[in-house]
Amino acid sequence: MTDLCGSERRDMFKAAAMELACQYGYEGATIKRIAQKCGVTVGTIYHYFENKEELFREALRERTFTTVLKKLIGEIEEKPIDEGLFQVATGFVGFLRERRNLISILVSEGLHNGEFGSLFADIVRQNTELMKSYFDRKIAAGELAPIDSRIAVQMFFGHFFTAYLHKERMQMEHLPPLDEAFVRGSIALLLHSWRQP
Amino acid sequence: MTDLCGSERRDMFKAAAMELACQYGYEGATIKRIAQKCGVTVGTIYHYFENKEELFREALRERTFTTVLKKLIGEIEEKPIDEGLFQVATGFVGFLRERRNLISILVSEGLHNGEFGSLFADIVRQNTELMKSYFDRKIAAGELAPIDSRIAVQMFFGHFFTAYLHKERMQMEHLPPLDEAFVRGSIALLLHSWRQP
Amino acid sequence: MTDLCGSERRDMFKAAAMELACQYGYEGATIKRIAQKCGVTVGTIYHYFENKEELFREALRERTFTTVLKKLIGEIEEKPIDEGLFQVATGFVGFLRERRNLISILVSEGLHNGEFGSLFADIVRQNTELMKSYFDRKIAAGELAPIDSRIAVQMFFGHFFTAYLHKERMQMEHLPPLDEAFVRGSIALLLHSWRQP
Amino acid sequence: MTDLCGSERRDMFKAAAMELACQYGYEGATIKRIAQKCGVTVGTIYHYFENKEELFREALRERTFTTVLKKLIGEIEEKPIDEGLFQVATGFVGFLRERRNLISILVSEGLHNGEFGSLFADIVRQNTELMKSYFDRKIAAGELAPIDSRIAVQMFFGHFFTAYLHKERMQMEHLPPLDEAFVRGSIALLLHSWRQP
DNA sequence: AATGAATGAGCCTTCATTCAT
DNA sequence: AATGAATGAAGGCTCATTCAT
C-alpha cells in the first residue's frame, strides 16, 4: 500500500506474522491472515519469503535479548549488585513486553517444533552464559557469596519470565502486577536470606 | 478392542489425546490420530465427546497438582523448612514429569486459547494460595524471615517450572540435570542470602 | 452416487483419473476434476487414496499388456509365424486402444516423472523378454532365420506402438488406418526381405 | 547479462525453455525458472514473447529433422540401399540426441495439447513424405522389392524413434545401446527376410 | 529494455464433523 | 456402540501474467 522499500516490506510482514501468531498461535497465523493484515495478497508474501517457516524463523531470530543484555551488563559492572540486578530484571521484563509476540511463539511452538525449539534453546544459552559470568565475577570480587551461579541464573531469569508469562500473557488476576515494587521485592528476596537469621 | 466400560474408554481417549498433543501440539493431535492410537475409528470418539475441545478440556481438568500439594503440605507442616521445600519441589517436578503432556498443552495452548488459558490460571491460583499460606504460617512461626510470601511462592514454583521446561521439555543441553542435587542446591539458594554477609 | 462397494469406488476413481489424464495430462487431471467426474467431493478421494500419485500409480499398474501377451503366446506356439505375429500385433493394438489412457500417461509422464518412468520401463522389459523367447524358440525350430531377436522384438513392438501413437492418439491424417490390412502388411514387411532378391 | 541482440535473446530463452521442459515437463518449465536460467527476471521474457505458449511454439517450430533429411537424401541417392539407410538412421538418431528437449516436449505434450500435437504431426508428415519418395525411387529402380513403402517408412522411423525413447530418454537398462552395431543390425533386419528361406 | 512487486485463481492436501448403516 | 464414507472449508504454496517504474 504505502510506499515502502523491500526491506521495510519484509519487516512489515514479519511484524504482522508475530502479532497474529501471538494472538492465534502459529497455526492460527495463516498466510492469508498475514497478507490481509498487510493489505496484500498471499502471493506477495511468497515473493518475499520462501515459505511460512522462513518468515517466522527470520522474525524470531531478528532481535533477541542477548544484544540488550550485553549492553546492560557493560553498564552495571561497577554498580552495587542489587542495583545491577534491578536494571537487568527491568530490562528483561521490558524486553519481554516489547517482544511479547516473539516470546509467545518461542514458548508455545518451541515445545513441538524442532526448529523453533532449538532457536529458543540458543537464545537461553547465550543469556545464561552472559549472566553467569557476571555472577562469577561478583563472587570473585567478594560481593556475592560463593553460590552456585548456574542455578542462580536460572532462578533469576526463570522467576521474571514466569511472572511475566503468568501475569501479562495469561492475565492471572490473582498475581501482583509486574511493576518496580515487584522487581525490587523479587531481588530483595534473592539477595537476602529467607531464613530467619 | 479389549473390553472396556464406557468410562475407561473415555480415559483412554483422553490419555491418547494428551500424549499426541504433547508430541505434536494441539493442532497436530488430530481426531484421526487419536482414534488410530486407540484402535477405533473417528466416529467412535464422537460418541464419547461432543467435539475435540470437550475431549481436551476434560482431559486437562482431570488431575492437577493441587491434590498432590494439599497432601504434601499436610505431611511437611512439622518438618524443618528446607526439608519441607525439598519435598514440595520434588513432588512438583515429579508431577510435571508424570503429567508432561498436560503441562505442554496448557502452556502452549493456554497462550492463545481462552478456555485453556483460564484453566491454567485456575490451577496456578490454587497452588499459589496453598503454598502462600504455608509460607505465611512459617513466617508467623518465626522460621522464615518476614519476606513477601506472594513473590516467594512465584519464585519457588517459577524456578522449578522453568527449569523443568527448559531442561526436560526443550532439551537444553547446557543446563544441569534436574536431579536431587539441583533441587537441594536451588533450595539452599533460596533460603540463604546470596549476598556475602 | 450409485451404490458401490469400496473396491468399486476405487476403480471408479482410477478410471476417471485415467480418462482425464489422457485428455488433459497428469497435471491437468486435478483431484477436483476427478472428484467432480465421479460426483463426489475432493475429500472423498483422499479417503480412498493416500495422494494423487498413489491413485495414478495404482491405476497404471493395474493391467498391463504382459498378462495378455502371456496368454497370446501360449495360444500361438504351434501356429505359423505370420499368423502368430498377426495375433500378437492385433492383441497389442487392441490393448493400446482399450487402455488408451494408460499409454498416454506412461509416455508423457514417464519422460520426467521417475516413478512413472520406471513403471513404464518394467512393463516394456517384461514384454520384451516374453517376445524375445518366443522368437528364440522359432529360430531354434528353424522357422525364423538366425536374426538378432532382441532388435527384432524392439522393431516389432516399436512399429505398432508408434503407428498407434501417431495415427490414433495424434490423429495424423496422412497415415494409413491401423486396420487388419495394415497389420498384415507390416508383418509381411518384417518377414520378407525388403531387398529385391 | 552479456551483450546480446534481440534475436539472440529470444534464442536463449527458447533454448532454456526447451531444456527445462525436457527435464521437468511443460508445466514444470515455469517462466520463473526459465528466467533464472537466463539470468533475467520474469518480466523480461514477456517483452520477447506474448506468453508461455508462444515461447514454446516458436522454440519447437524452429529446426526440424526435415531440413537434415533433405540434405541426407540428396547425398545418398546413388549409394547402395543399406548404406543409405544407415546414414539416414544415424542422422536421425543424432538429431534426436541433439534436439532431445524438443522431442520430449512434442511427445509428452503433443498428446494433450492440440497446438503441439499438430506441430508434431506436421513434422512427421514431412519426413514421411520425403522418405517414402526415396523408397519409391528405390523400388522403381529395382533395388527394393515392391514393398508397401508407406508402412516401410513408418517402420523405419518408428523403430529408431522408439529405440531412442526407451533407451536414451527412459534409461531402460535391459535394452542394447543405440550404437553403430545396433543401427547396422536393425537395417540388416529390415532388408533381409526374417523367415528362413 | 528491463525490473520485480503484485495479483488471484487454482493446486494438493488436511481435518473436524456428520450420519446412514 | 461402532463404523467409515462423505463433506467442504481452509491451509500452504505455485505460477502465468500484468504493470508502474
Side-chain angles (χ1 to χ4, degrees):
Chain A
M1 291 288 106
T2 46
D3 249 7
L4 294 174
C5 78
S7 140
E8 285 166 327
R9 223 89 230 271
R10 285 178 78 91
D11 287 348
M12 172 182 164
F13 295 141
K14 287 185 253 176
M18 290 293 97
E19 203 163 320
L20 287 167
C22 170
Q23 198 170 352
Y24 304 111
Y26 180 71
E27 320 269 334
T30 68
I31 295 290
K32 199 177 175 184
R33 271 211 257 228
I34 296 171
Q36 268 165 357
K37 192 179 182 87
C38 296
V40 300
T41 54
V42 286
T44 304
I45 294 196
Y46 285 92
H47 188 71
Y48 289 90
F49 299 93
E50 195 71 34
N51 51 37
K52 188 179 175 180
E53 186 149 334
E54 187 191 287
L55 165 58
F56 276 85
R57 192 183 329 126
E58 203 163 293
L60 291 174
R61 252 192 236 291
E62 202 106 284
R63 276 189 302 281
T64 65
F65 182 58
T66 315
T67 330
V68 184
L69 184 56
K70 275 182 190 150
K71 192 164 150 284
L72 277 174
I73 286 186
E75 293 170 2
I76 63 173
E77 203 69 49
E78 309 301 324
K79 298 187 179 168
I81 184 77
D82 40 13
E83 187 54 26
L85 292 186
F86 175 75
Q87 291 198 7
V88 172
T90 304
F92 184 52
V93 171
F95 176 82
L96 293 176
R97 281 186 183 124
E98 193 189 323
R99 311 291 294 166
R100 63 196 298 279
N101 306 330
L102 182 149
I103 301 309
S104 297
I105 300 161
L106 283 181
V107 171
S108 67
E109 291 309 312
L111 282 169
H112 41 258
N113 179 318
E115 170 110 39
F116 293 167
S118 52
L119 197 56
F120 193 17
D122 264 11
I123 295 174
V124 170
R125 187 181 53 246
Q126 290 174 24
N127 295 342
T128 305
E129 279 164 14
L130 281 171
M131 200 62 186
K132 178 174 180 303
S133 81
Y134 169 72
F135 279 161
D136 287 339
R137 286 195 301 279
K138 289 297 180 185
I139 292 169
E143 273 185 80
L144 283 181
I147 57 174
D148 183 329
S149 61
R150 273 226 287 189
I151 300 183
V153 172
Q154 285 192 68
M155 194 174 284
F156 180 79
F157 282 128
H159 171 61
F160 291 109
F161 183 67
T162 315
Y164 166 76
L165 218 61
H166 285 180
K167 184 65 192 174
E168 305 198 356
R169 297 300 343 272
M170 290 185 166
Q171 273 82 39
M172 296 191 185
E173 301 183 354
H174 68 285
L175 297 179
L178 220 66
D179 52 15
E180 183 178 332
F182 179 87
V183 175
R184 293 227 181 262
S186 299
I187 289 168
L189 228 41
L190 288 173
L191 292 180
H192 296 71
S193 170
W194 286 16
R195 212 195 294 266
Q196 191 64 288
Chain B
M1 291 289 103
T2 47
D3 253 6
L4 295 174
C5 76
S7 138
E8 285 166 327
R9 290 225 110 166
R10 287 178 76 91
D11 287 349
M12 174 181 156
F13 295 143
K14 287 185 258 177
M18 289 295 96
E19 203 163 322
L20 287 167
C22 169
Q23 199 170 351
Y24 304 111
Y26 179 72
E27 320 270 334
T30 66
I31 296 291
K32 197 178 173 186
R33 272 212 256 227
I34 295 170
Q36 267 167 358
K37 194 180 181 83
C38 296
V40 300
T41 54
V42 289
T44 305
I45 293 192
Y46 282 88
H47 261 280
Y48 289 89
F49 299 93
E50 194 67 34
N51 52 37
K52 189 180 175 180
E53 184 149 337
E54 187 191 287
L55 164 60
F56 275 85
R57 192 185 326 126
E58 205 163 290
L60 291 174
R61 254 192 230 295
E62 205 101 286
R63 274 189 305 282
T64 66
F65 181 58
T66 316
T67 331
V68 183
L69 184 56
K70 274 182 188 151
K71 190 164 152 285
L72 276 174
I73 287 187
E75 294 171 2
I76 62 172
E77 203 68 47
E78 309 303 325
K79 298 188 178 169
I81 184 78
D82 41 12
E83 187 54 25
L85 292 186
F86 174 74
Q87 290 197 8
V88 173
T90 304
F92 184 52
V93 170
F95 176 82
L96 294 176
R97 281 185 183 128
E98 193 188 322
R99 312 286 294 164
R100 64 195 298 279
N101 305 332
L102 183 149
I103 301 308
S104 297
I105 301 160
L106 282 180
V107 170
S108 67
E109 292 308 312
L111 283 168
H112 42 258
N113 179 320
E115 171 110 39
F116 294 167
S118 52
L119 200 56
F120 192 19
D122 265 11
I123 295 172
V124 170
R125 187 181 53 248
Q126 291 175 24
N127 296 341
T128 305
E129 279 164 14
L130 281 171
M131 200 63 187
K132 177 173 181 303
S133 81
Y134 169 72
F135 278 161
D136 286 339
R137 284 195 301 280
K138 288 298 179 185
I139 292 169
E143 270 186 82
L144 283 182
I147 56 175
D148 182 329
S149 62
R150 276 225 289 189
I151 300 184
V153 172
Q154 286 192 67
M155 195 174 285
F156 180 77
F157 283 129
H159 171 61
F160 291 109
F161 183 67
T162 314
Y164 166 76
L165 219 59
H166 286 182
K167 184 65 193 175
E168 304 198 355
R169 297 302 339 274
M170 289 186 167
Q171 273 81 40
M172 296 192 185
E173 300 184 354
H174 67 286
L175 298 179
L178 223 67
D179 52 17
E180 185 178 331
F182 179 87
V183 175
R184 294 220 180 267
S186 299
I187 289 169
L189 227 42
L190 287 172
L191 293 181
H192 297 70
S193 171
W194 286 17
R195 211 194 295 266
Q196 190 65 288
Chain C
M1 292 286 105
T2 47
D3 250 8
L4 293 174
C5 77
S7 140
E8 284 166 328
R9 226 89 232 265
R10 286 178 76 91
D11 287 349
M12 172 183 164
F13 294 140
K14 287 185 253 176
M18 290 293 96
E19 205 163 321
L20 287 167
C22 169
Q23 200 170 351
Y24 304 112
Y26 180 72
E27 322 269 334
T30 68
I31 295 291
K32 199 176 175 185
R33 270 212 258 229
I34 296 170
Q36 268 165 357
K37 193 179 181 87
C38 297
V40 300
T41 54
V42 286
T44 304
I45 293 194
Y46 283 91
H47 188 71
Y48 290 89
F49 299 92
E50 195 72 34
N51 51 39
K52 188 180 175 180
E53 186 149 334
E54 187 192 288
L55 164 59
F56 276 84
R57 193 187 325 129
E58 204 164 291
L60 291 175
R61 250 191 235 292
E62 202 106 283
R63 277 189 301 280
T64 64
F65 182 59
T66 314
T67 330
V68 183
L69 184 55
K70 274 183 190 151
K71 193 165 148 285
L72 278 174
I73 287 187
E75 293 170 2
I76 63 172
E77 202 69 49
E78 309 301 326
K79 297 185 178 172
I81 185 78
D82 40 13
E83 187 55 25
L85 291 185
F86 175 74
Q87 291 197 7
V88 171
T90 305
F92 184 52
V93 170
F95 175 82
L96 294 176
R97 281 185 183 129
E98 193 188 323
R99 312 289 297 163
R100 62 197 298 279
N101 306 330
L102 183 148
I103 301 309
S104 297
I105 301 161
L106 283 180
V107 171
S108 66
E109 292 308 312
L111 281 169
H112 41 259
N113 178 319
E115 170 110 39
F116 294 166
S118 53
L119 198 56
F120 193 17
D122 264 11
I123 295 173
V124 169
R125 187 183 52 246
Q126 290 175 25
N127 295 342
T128 305
E129 279 163 14
L130 281 171
M131 201 62 187
K132 177 174 181 303
S133 81
Y134 169 73
F135 278 162
D136 287 339
R137 285 195 301 280
K138 289 297 179 186
I139 292 170
E143 273 185 80
L144 283 181
I147 56 175
D148 183 328
S149 60
R150 274 224 289 191
I151 300 183
V153 172
Q154 286 193 68
M155 194 174 285
F156 180 77
F157 283 127
H159 171 61
F160 291 109
F161 182 68
T162 315
Y164 167 76
L165 219 60
H166 286 181
K167 184 64 192 173
E168 304 199 356
R169 297 301 339 276
M170 290 185 167
Q171 274 82 38
M172 297 191 185
E173 302 183 353
H174 68 285
L175 298 179
L178 221 67
D179 53 16
E180 184 177 331
F182 179 86
V183 175
R184 294 224 180 264
S186 299
I187 289 168
L189 227 41
L190 287 171
L191 292 180
H192 296 70
S193 171
W194 286 17
R195 211 195 295 265
Q196 192 65 285
Chain D
M1 290 289 105
T2 45
D3 252 5
L4 294 173
C5 76
S7 138
E8 285 166 325
R9 290 226 110 169
R10 287 178 76 91
D11 286 348
M12 172 181 159
F13 296 142
K14 288 185 256 176
M18 290 293 97
E19 203 163 324
L20 287 167
C22 170
Q23 198 170 352
Y24 304 111
Y26 179 71
E27 320 270 335
T30 66
I31 295 291
K32 197 177 174 187
R33 273 211 257 227
I34 295 170
Q36 268 166 358
K37 195 179 180 85
C38 296
V40 301
T41 54
V42 289
T44 306
I45 293 193
Y46 282 87
H47 261 280
Y48 289 90
F49 299 92
E50 194 68 33
N51 52 36
K52 189 179 175 181
E53 185 149 335
E54 187 191 288
L55 164 59
F56 275 85
R57 190 183 330 125
E58 205 163 291
L60 291 174
R61 256 193 231 292
E62 204 101 286
R63 273 190 305 282
T64 65
F65 181 59
T66 315
T67 331
V68 184
L69 185 56
K70 274 183 188 150
K71 190 164 152 283
L72 276 174
I73 287 186
E75 294 171 2
I76 63 173
E77 204 68 49
E78 309 301 325
K79 297 186 179 171
I81 185 77
D82 40 14
E83 188 53 26
L85 291 186
F86 175 74
Q87 291 197 7
V88 172
T90 304
F92 184 52
V93 170
F95 176 82
L96 293 176
R97 281 186 183 126
E98 191 189 324
R99 312 288 293 166
R100 62 195 300 279
N101 307 331
L102 183 148
I103 301 308
S104 296
I105 301 160
L106 282 180
V107 170
S108 68
E109 292 308 312
L111 282 169
H112 42 258
N113 180 318
E115 170 110 38
F116 294 168
S118 52
L119 199 56
F120 193 18
D122 265 11
I123 295 173
V124 170
R125 188 184 51 248
Q126 290 174 24
N127 295 342
T128 305
E129 280 164 13
L130 281 171
M131 199 63 185
K132 178 174 180 302
S133 81
Y134 169 72
F135 278 161
D136 286 340
R137 284 195 301 280
K138 288 297 180 185
I139 292 169
E143 272 185 79
L144 282 182
I147 56 175
D148 183 329
S149 62
R150 275 226 288 191
I151 300 183
V153 173
Q154 286 191 67
M155 195 174 284
F156 180 78
F157 283 129
H159 171 62
F160 291 109
F161 182 66
T162 314
Y164 167 75
L165 218 61
H166 286 182
K167 184 64 193 176
E168 305 199 355
R169 298 301 342 271
M170 290 187 167
Q171 274 81 39
M172 296 192 187
E173 300 184 355
H174 68 285
L175 298 179
L178 223 66
D179 52 16
E180 184 177 333
F182 180 87
V183 176
R184 294 224 180 262
S186 299
I187 289 168
L189 227 41
L190 287 171
L191 292 180
H192 296 70
S193 170
W194 287 17
R195 214 196 294 266
Q196 190 66 285

